Amino acid sequence: MPGFTIAFVVTAVTLAAVADGEGVKSNNIRLHSGISREEKWKSVGHRGMTLWMTGLSGSGKSTISVALEHALVSEQPRAYFVYRLDGDNLRFGLNRDLGFSQEDRKENVRRVA
């Protein structure tokens, strides 16, 4: 569909960079580890991933993500654990003070990322 891009975010690379302290300005902080990814995957029965959909307002990102969430949870032999974080919903909380100016859009992405 024109108007949006689907980007897969590879979290393993990001986590490795964080664990090594790469790019961390302060030296008085510590990375706190908890349950490993492998333990979580085993617990829920599948591996984790992030799907970040980008595109113009009104291009159907939320509609597609709701349909995908429904399909993954309700239409599989075994339901997947899914969390959908919608940009419109963020504007009711974390980003409630932002509009749609170029500066506000840039700040919206910065806060979410």
Side-chain angles (χ1 to χ4, degrees):
M1 284 187 152
F4 69 89
T5 304
I6 297 176
F8 292 92
V9 179
V10 180
T11 55
V13 173
T14 304
L15 290 174
V18 169
D20 291 340
E22 181 181 315
V24 176
K25 189 172 183 177
S26 299
N27 63 3
N28 63 338
I29 60 173
R30 176 171 146 29
L31 180 65
H32 298 276
S33 59
I35 301 171
S36 72
R37 288 182 306 157
E38 291 76 14
E39 289 174 288
K40 291 176 188 176
W41 294 343
K42 185 177 179 183
S43 173
V44 297
H46 59 84
R47 295 181 63 156
M49 68 173 290
T50 301
L51 174 65
W52 191 333
M53 298 173 68
T54 64
L56 298 174
S57 181
S59 64
K61 299 176 301 294
S62 294
T63 302
I64 292 170
S65 71
V66 168
L68 179 59
E69 177 184 38
H70 178 75
L72 291 171
V73 173
S74 302
E75 298 176 14
Q76 303 298 316
R78 180 175 177 190
Y80 285 89
F81 176 79
V82 176
Y83 186 84
R84 185 176 46 84
L85 183 60
D86 189 278
D88 288 346
N89 294 350
L90 286 171
R91 290 184 178 272
F92 287 97
L94 175 68
N95 295 333
R96 72 179 323 120
D97 61 324
L98 300 176
F100 289 93
S101 69
Q102 191 62 36
E103 296 82 23
D104 284 354
R105 288 173 185 263
K106 185 175 179 180
E107 177 62 13
N108 180 53
V109 170
R110 187 196 70 78
R111 291 181 189 179
V112 172

